[in-house]
Amino acid sequence: MNSYALISLTDKSGAVEFARFLEQRGVKILSTGNTAEVLRDSGVAVTAVSEYTGQPEIMDGRVKTLTPKIHGGILARRDSAQHMQDLQALDAGPIDYVIVNLYPFLQKVRETINAGDPEHQSLIEFIDIGGPAMLRAAAKNFKDVVVLIDPKDYPRVQLELSSGGKISLELRRELAAKVFTFTAAYDGAIARYLSLNEKLVNAEGKAMTLGGVENFTLKQSQALRYGENPHQLAALYEIANTTSAPELKQLQGKELSYNNLLDADAAWQLARELNQVAASEPSIAIIKHLNPCGVACGKTLLEAFQAARACDPVSAFGGIIATTSTLDALTAQAIIEGFVEVIIAPKFAPQALEVLAQKKNVRVLQITDQLYSQGELTPRLVFGRILLQENDAALVDLTQARQVTKRKPKPQELTDLSLAWVVCKHVKSNAIVIAKDGKAIGIGAGQMSRVDSSRLAIERAQAQGFDVQDAAAASDAFLPFSDTLEYLAAAGIKSLVQPGGSIKDEDVICRADELDVAMVFTGERHFRH
């Protein structure tokens, strides 16, 4: 009785090579549609599923694999005489390999939303029926069937077949578990879509994914040495069947820790948003314990790094550095002259990697150039429950914000206010950030009083020799009284950006006019707890 492999793929990476490998081992290849064409054009002998089953595809391809010959070949227990007799009666053989991946439903949801399609009718056709049915059947019968949903697993199967002639039960079980993890998340994505239906886009045109979340599936991708402290266990998990996560590669260095990952993510989020205020200039963000301790833009990346480190060189020691432009060799050399835990960037010049290799323990991360999108979820654990909110992706353009005082910000003041506002968004509340000449010079984070945050920001700036005269400042929340404004103005700060919205706004505006401080209201708040 022939052994068959059924191949039906959206992602055809490595499929031709793997099909040839199976063919050389005497396995007959069954396939459908475009996958069959790709394999056939590459010289693989392929039997179309419709030819094998004797039943043509119907209903525009909606029904093609849902037949007894296909599912019998997958589900038949090889140690059951009755099952094998039933297969013979069907004139069918055992399908020992099921190699299937599915229409990218989540990706299509996002593409449809971004295209402004209010009906979303086309998405229905991207709900795969036959694929999940075959995958689940094969995963159920994993003792007899090898099921593959991820092209990255092809080499593992090839290695075991080449070295021992068979696939271990451990690998079969692992591949089956991977399938059920994926199909659970896939079904969850469809359930979320159907539960939201026309509400996928809210009144402001924003993609809404929060209201329909009823379940999601987590998959452990990496065990960590420990959590925030050595006595705490920790691991990194992926949300199965998501297309929003940027690709992250560790190019060198020690194993990433829990705290490294938290700080690297914080650094990357800040660095990415710097592009919105300084798109034409290289930017650097330095993070320590989830708070920015140095941020700057410059004509060169080296200039930006030197300015960022100068903001608080003591805190920058052992920090996490992120840039959104290619890291060059000169900047890499300057970075490793001090102690750094993690460097994260979208690209690294080959010469920069050679420089960084001198410090083998430095963790070097390359990340795809992708900004966290509005609508993605940020989880926190409270009272044994998961608290979810949309990611804070809002960021107002200060050129469009309300200039509420008699004196309007000068061009350089507006530039510095924009930088301070971006940085302030990423500082723990209460947050005050002082910026001047394209760089942050003082950061006050996590104080219970906003006046104390102002005092801390000014003291840190002055401790590094910065002149705060004519600098710009940002506050993450509105000023309920004029005390913070007065404290900043007394130090020489001449422009301030804040959300506005206090019942005392008019009093604060009048006081700013008296102090000759230009003030801008954004209308958006950025608490960070």
Side-chain angles (χ1 to χ4, degrees), residues 208-223:
M208 298 294 291
T209 59
L210 185 61
V213 171
E214 294 180 0
N215 58 73
F216 52 83
T217 303
L218 299 179
K219 174 191 173 185
Q220 183 174 320
S221 61
Q222 183 179 350

Side-chain angles (χ1 to χ4, degrees), residues 450 475 477-481 484-485 496 498 502 504-505 508 519:
R450 199 165 301 278
S475 169
F478 65 63
L479 305 184
F481 306 103
T484 299
L485 168 68
L496 174 67
Q498 58 136 318
S502 167
K504 300 267 191 180
D505 274 351
V508 175
M519 192 158 59

Side-chain angles (χ1 to χ4, degrees), residues 348-366:
F348 293 83
Q351 298 88 344
L353 291 175
E354 292 176 7
V355 170
L356 295 174
Q358 300 172 36
K359 301 284 187 177
K360 297 188 181 299
N361 287 337
V362 174
R363 301 161 177 91
V364 177
L365 301 181
Q366 183 170 320

Side-chain angles (χ1 to χ4, degrees), residues 3 74 87 100 108 198 216 219 285 318 325 394 425 455 512:
S3 171
I74 296 172
L87 269 188
V100 173
K108 290 299 177 182
E198 298 302 327
F216 52 83
K219 174 191 173 185
S325 57
K425 175 185 173 183
R455 182 180 297 111

Side-chain angles (χ1 to χ4, degrees), residues 208-257:
M208 298 294 291
T209 59
L210 185 61
V213 171
E214 294 180 0
N215 58 73
F216 52 83
T217 303
L218 299 179
K219 174 191 173 185
Q220 183 174 320
S221 61
Q222 183 179 350
L224 304 175
R225 289 177 62 196
Y226 52 79
E228 282 183 285
N229 301 291
H231 60 274
Q232 294 170 267
L233 293 175
L236 180 65
Y237 284 77
E238 295 176 1
I239 301 175
N241 197 26
T242 180
T243 60
S244 65
E247 184 180 1
L248 189 66
K249 293 180 181 178
Q250 183 170 356
L251 304 182
Q252 75 160 52
K254 296 191 297 185
E255 180 184 1
L256 287 163
S257 72

Side-chain angles (χ1 to χ4, degrees), residues 263-278:
D263 285 337
D265 178 70
W268 178 244
Q269 291 196 53
L270 171 53
R272 286 296 282 110
E273 289 199 327
L274 289 173
N275 271 352
Q276 297 187 42
V277 297

Side-chain angles (χ1 to χ4, degrees), residues 106 185 188-197 209 212-216:
L106 279 179
I190 296 169
R192 294 197 298 274
Y193 161 68
L194 292 176
S195 67
L196 287 168
N197 201 8
T209 59
V213 171
E214 294 180 0
N215 58 73
F216 52 83

